[in-house]
Amino acid sequence: MSKKVKIITFHSAINHGAAIQAYALMKTVKKLGLNVEIIDYRPRFERKQTLNYNNNLPSFIKKAIQYVIFRRFCRKYLSLTKKVYKSNEELLKYPPKADYFICGSDQIWSLRITKEIDPAYFLAFPVLGAKRIAYGVSMGKTEIPESSKHEFSDAIKKFDCLSAREKFTRDRLLSCKPGKPVPIVLDPSLLLSDYSEIMPRGDTNERYIAVYFIVRDKNLIEAAIKLKKVLNMPLVNLSTGRLREADRNEYFLNPGEWLKKIKCSSIVCTNSFHGTALSVLFEKKFYTTKLSERFEGLNNRMIELLEPLG
């Protein structure tokens, strides 16, 4: 009987890159001949971000539709645990069983996203002799506050194997003296070359500029408008948020459909790490713009990916 692996990552956020990296990591581990499931963990901070009303009915309805679309994709293409976990307390009370537990990739250790250290993403629940592995984890570029450094250090010392996606995270891990090497590894989205299972069949003859952003940013908008003028092509916004300057906003794409739109585009304009990574994977012409002002700390992800490529 093959060994069992359980993965915990950002798989159910309304974020195309997060869903794609979760799928890619699952498929890559399956190729090793292992029995893989993704722990269906949906913490409070994620549910709050996804379905927060904020007295804006149109925005709420749009997010609710997107949530249903993403959940259908997850149920169809991700091997999820039967039990849904909504808190770390549930993981402590009903711990999943496996021979290996993997946390990662994506920004699962970023306090900008989780708001506080979430023990679930550090595999702090009982693992009953199983190995703990952190693959390609990222902290974005958030520092660990002094009050949490001891908790953070204790958490990472329990891992049998640690690896990071960026130098920033690696350096923070090494500063905690885990007593083991911390190599920098590829994001899972770059480990998988064949996404045909999740993408619609057929190609399109349409020429368009695919625009994808994680944060609506003036640098991206200026670049997209300039590309449209130079290339005389329509701007197709593939982000979950609206882009007023786009000729077409395609909000309601599942991750496979989104991936197909990236692959069939004439050129990609993005400020997203996964938008950049998948443009590289599909050998697309692309422009990656730096984020400005308060999100500037997220630029290191794209820079570290692109610098070795020249």
Side-chain angles (χ1 to χ4, degrees):
M1 184 179 291
S2 61
K3 298 282 187 179
K4 292 183 179 179
V5 178
K6 293 284 195 297
I7 296 170
I8 189 165
T9 187
F10 291 156
H11 71 284
S12 63
I14 300 178
N15 181 293
H16 296 97
I20 293 298
Q21 66 85 25
Y23 170 81
L25 182 57
M26 178 196 76
K27 293 292 284 187
T28 300
V29 176
K30 277 187 175 181
K31 282 184 175 182
L32 300 175
L34 300 168
N35 187 329
V36 187
E37 281 188 323
I38 292 175
I39 298 172
D40 201 356
Y41 180 55
R42 288 183 259 164
R44 184 175 178 274
F45 76 84
E46 187 179 89
R47 301 196 306 275
K48 187 177 179 182
Q49 289 170 357
T50 301
L51 297 175
N52 195 7
Y53 180 52
N54 278 340
N55 293 318
N56 187 332
L57 184 59
S59 176
F60 177 78
I61 291 172
K62 185 183 78 172
K63 282 188 175 181
I65 294 171
Q66 289 170 336
Y67 176 78
V68 171
I69 289 169
F70 272 72
R71 284 305 297 171
R72 284 177 177 169
F73 174 86
C74 289
R75 290 194 190 103
K76 184 173 182 179
Y77 294 111
L78 302 183
S79 301
L80 301 175
T81 56
K82 290 181 180 179
K83 179 168 178 57
V84 176
Y85 296 88
K86 294 185 178 180
S87 68
N88 183 61
E89 287 69 31
E90 288 188 13
L91 281 164
L92 290 170
K93 191 173 181 180
Y94 308 105
K97 296 179 181 179
D99 299 289
Y100 300 91
F101 286 92
I102 300 175
C103 63
S105 172
D106 222 342
Q107 297 181 73
I108 58 169
W109 291 355
S110 169
L111 300 189
R112 184 184 66 84
I113 296 174
T114 61
K115 310 305 179 188
E116 60 185 359
I117 290 178
D118 187 337
Y121 292 115
F122 287 82
L123 305 176
F125 49 86
V127 300
L128 303 175
K131 300 291 186 183
R132 288 183 175 94
I133 299 167
Y135 179 82
V137 292
S138 174
M139 295 169 61
K141 205 165 186 181
T142 55
E143 294 284 358
I144 301 297
E146 285 295 329
S147 58
S148 301
K149 281 188 175 178
H150 183 72
E151 179 186 0
F152 181 81
S153 181
D154 284 348
I156 67 169
K157 286 175 182 175
K158 294 178 181 178
F159 281 87
D160 297 280
C161 185
L162 283 165
S163 62
R165 196 176 67 178
E166 295 104 18
K167 294 175 185 176
F168 179 89
T169 302
R170 179 200 62 188
D171 292 345
R172 296 305 172 277
L173 296 180
L174 289 174
S175 71
C176 293
K177 299 179 181 177
K180 51 179 72 72
V182 184
I184 293 175
V185 296
L186 283 176
D187 184 84
S189 63
L190 294 169
L191 297 177
L192 194 64
S193 58
D194 183 9
Y195 285 97
S196 58
E197 178 191 30
I198 62 172
M199 289 194 296
R201 294 181 181 178
D203 290 318
T204 176
N205 293 323
E206 182 186 7
R207 290 169 56 78
Y208 59 91
I209 302 163
V211 184
Y212 180 67
F213 60 86
I214 49 168
V215 178
R216 182 185 164 89
D217 185 87
K218 63 180 182 180
N219 293 337
L220 177 91
I221 295 168
E222 287 174 3
I225 292 172
K226 189 174 288 185
L227 279 172
K228 179 179 177 178
K229 288 180 179 178
V230 171
L231 300 176
N232 194 29
M233 292 181 197
L235 297 179
V236 178
N237 175 36
L238 307 180
S239 317
T240 53
R242 183 173 181 268
L243 184 65
R244 181 170 50 84
E245 296 80 3
D247 295 280
R248 204 162 70 238
N249 283 280
E250 302 205 357
Y251 304 129
F252 303 121
L253 300 172
N254 71 36
E257 293 166 337
W258 173 83
L259 201 60
K260 187 73 171 185
K261 286 286 186 179
I262 294 283
K263 188 175 183 180
C264 291
S265 66
S266 302
I267 191 167
V268 178
C269 186
T270 186
N271 61 18
S272 152
F273 171 82
H274 283 112
T276 303
L278 291 160
S279 296
V280 172
L281 183 71
F282 291 142
E283 300 182 359
K284 305 303 299 182
K285 294 180 179 179
F286 67 94
Y287 278 86
T288 294
T289 65
K290 285 186 177 182
L291 290 162
S292 54
E293 298 158 1
R294 66 193 182 103
F295 293 102
E296 190 174 4
L298 296 176
N299 289 325
N300 70 311
R301 301 177 299 159
M302 279 84 81
I303 293 169
E304 285 193 33
L305 171 66
L306 295 174
E307 276 186 340
L309 302 176

